[in-house]
Amino acid sequence: MKTPASIIAGAMIPLGLMSPLPMVNPDGKPEHRLETLVRRSNLAVAVAALLSGFISVVFATVAVNQLTENVPKPAESVWHLLQRDYDLSWSGTNAHFLYGMFSYAYLIAVRSYFNIGGGLLGCGVAGVAMSALFYMIGIVNRGVAAGSGDGQNYGTSVVSLFTHYFGLVVTRKGGRFRAMEMGAVTLFLGSLIAVVCALIQKDNAKLE
């Protein structure tokens, strides 16, 4: 998981961070309201996806180190071992990796649409990228529903995986919140509120 997550994170930088999206209407005509919203949110999605890939790499690295350094108690299967001792690490690695992957496909669709200049061709090319995104979600849904093969799983879809992970984070299974984790959650929530406020403002220059 570490290698693909690292590759995706590296590819995210030129796609979403290095250059702004071109104007759909360079002749000065106003953009559609949805196009403006997508343009404003593009950088936020790219940043979140990039950092999500980093978090996935850290989760996987720490879990591998723990498996190497510790002698786990016998378990019925690898699934049962992960559920018992590494539930947060396993869920976090997959949740953040999948969010980064799905966001990458979304960014490809957005970049294709704006680079082409919108219109029917832009919608068609972006639609190809979105179809791949939907197909990937379907593949993950099947995997999540299959679970361990003996009836144990996170749920029936990728939504179940994300809710399971966030439930572990909130309830802090395996220990209480530490200072850095509390700071991270607080800063994330504050930043999320700031981004939402910025997106709904008509003039970003008037941010306070």
Side-chain angles (χ1 to χ4, degrees):
M1 191 70 76
K2 292 185 293 183
T3 300
S6 301
I7 293 174
I8 293 173
M12 202 81 65
I13 296 175
L15 181 65
L17 301 178
M18 296 298 291
S19 60
L21 293 174
M23 296 295 296
V24 173
N25 300 316
D27 54 359
K29 294 182 180 179
E31 287 184 329
H32 189 275
R33 189 172 182 178
L34 179 59
E35 293 173 338
T36 302
L37 178 61
V38 170
R39 178 188 298 283
R40 288 183 174 180
S41 62
N42 186 72
L43 183 59
V45 173
V47 170
L50 175 63
L51 298 179
S52 186
F54 290 165
I55 295 174
S56 177
V57 171
V58 172
F59 260 131
T61 301
V62 172
V64 170
N65 290 343
Q66 290 178 331
L67 283 168
T68 304
E69 298 164 357
N70 301 326
V71 180
K73 296 179 181 179
E76 184 178 345
S77 66
V78 175
W79 167 269
H80 292 87
L81 173 65
L82 293 172
Q83 288 292 291
R84 185 190 68 198
D85 298 337
Y86 300 97
D87 197 9
L88 178 60
S89 298
W90 179 251
S91 303
T93 298
N94 283 279
H96 284 286
F97 174 76
L98 290 173
Y99 174 77
M101 177 72 77
F102 296 160
S103 297
Y104 189 52
Y106 167 79
L107 292 172
I108 291 174
V110 171
R111 174 68 62 174
S112 300
Y113 177 84
F114 280 89
N115 280 359
I116 291 175
L120 185 60
L121 180 58
C123 290
V125 176
V128 172
M130 293 303 295
S131 69
L133 171 59
F134 294 155
Y135 189 53
M136 288 189 290
I137 294 175
I139 294 172
V140 175
N141 287 343
R142 288 180 177 272
V144 172
S148 62
D150 60 0
Q152 298 188 36
N153 54 31
Y154 288 121
T156 58
S157 69
V158 68
V159 176
S160 304
L161 171 63
F162 284 113
T163 55
H164 178 76
Y165 166 62
F166 285 116
L168 293 176
V169 172
V170 172
T171 59
R172 203 51 203 151
K173 180 181 178 181
R176 61 184 181 181
F177 274 103
R178 296 178 180 270
M180 283 296 179
E181 294 169 333
M182 285 293 295
V185 172
T186 303
L187 185 58
F188 172 76
L189 293 176
S191 300
L192 185 61
I193 294 173
V195 170
V196 172
C197 291
L199 290 177
I200 63 177
Q201 285 183 350
K202 294 182 179 180
D203 187 1
N204 280 345
K206 296 181 180 179
L207 287 175
E208 297 180 354

